[in-house]
């Protein structure tokens, strides 16, 4: 029997079986995610979506190779969860605290205005330079 890889309902029906639920939570536990982890619910959602992706990307016939698929899905869920947590950690580390973000001014035109001022200055200098100085100015700044 050939399973349709794009049949999401079949993938989630397979996940609904108790042994596969244990597999999912076991993979989360292997990634050090317990129900007391602050991102537990997010990780469960990521694990379920990873199960779906594993189901869709597993090449051999599924009913015949179900034990191998379980190993494949376990590894996929574990490493995708670890990667998800790493990305979340990097994202939170790079965020600016709101207290420090208040004085930060965002002016998208300031860079453009500085570019226009520099262009005007260089144009004025090019008109006043001798030929040798023009070559130096052009090579150095442009």
């Amino acid at each position: 029997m050939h399973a349709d890889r794009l049949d999401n309902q079949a993938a989630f029906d397979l996940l609904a079986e108790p042994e596969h639920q244990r597999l999912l939570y076991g993979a989360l536990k292997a990634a050090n995610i317990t129900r007391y982890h602050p991102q537990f619910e997010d990780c469960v959602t990521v694990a379920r979506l990873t199960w779906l992706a594993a189901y869709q990307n597993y090449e051999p016939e599924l009913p015949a190779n179900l034990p191998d698929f379980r190993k494949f899905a376990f590894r996929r869920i574990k490493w995708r969860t670890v990667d998800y947590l790493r990305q979340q950690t990097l994202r939170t580390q790079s965020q600016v605290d709101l207290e420090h973000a208040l004085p930060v001014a965002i002016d998208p035109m300031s860079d453009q205005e500085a570019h226009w001022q520099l262009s005007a200055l260089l144009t004025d200098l090019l008109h006043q330079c001798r030929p040798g100085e023009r070559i130096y100015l052009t090579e150095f700044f442009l």
Side-chain angles (χ1 to χ4, degrees), residues 6 10 15 20 27 33 43 51-52 70-71 76-77 82 84 87-88 93 96 98 119 124 127-128 141:
L6 300 178
L15 178 60
H20 296 142
I33 304 297
C43 290
W51 172 274
L52 176 64
R70 289 181 186 135
K71 294 173 192 172
R76 275 275 182 98
I77 292 169
V82 168
Y84 172 77
Q87 289 174 352
Q88 293 300 316
Q93 287 176 349
V96 176
L98 289 179
S119 296
D124 290 342
H127 292 299
Q128 297 175 8
F141 286 106

Side-chain angles (χ1 to χ4, degrees), residues 63-117:
N65 296 309
L66 196 55
D68 292 333
F69 171 72
R70 289 181 186 135
K71 294 173 192 172
F72 176 75
F74 182 90
R75 286 190 306 268
R76 275 275 182 98
I77 292 169
K78 177 185 173 188
W79 291 114
R80 176 64 186 108
T81 303
V82 168
D83 188 47
Y84 172 77
L85 290 174
R86 181 187 58 79
Q87 289 174 352
Q88 293 300 316
T89 302
L90 290 174
R91 183 175 292 130
T92 56
Q93 287 176 349
S94 65
Q95 289 178 343
V96 176
D97 189 17
L98 289 179
E99 294 174 2
H100 302 296
L102 289 175
V104 175
I106 299 174
D107 186 12
M109 290 304 290
S110 65
D111 291 337
Q112 186 62 37
E113 289 173 2
H115 176 72
W116 287 334
Q117 289 174 351

Side-chain angles (χ1 to χ4, degrees), residues 24-60:
L24 184 130
Y25 289 108
L28 289 175
K29 186 176 179 183
N32 295 322
I33 304 297
T34 62
R35 75 173 53 162
Y36 303 109
H37 192 278
Q39 294 179 334
F40 177 74
E41 292 298 324
D42 294 336
C43 290
V44 169
T45 302
V46 168
R48 288 179 180 149
L49 293 174
T50 305
W51 172 274
L52 176 64
Y55 181 84
Q56 291 174 346
N57 293 317
Y58 189 69
E59 291 295 325

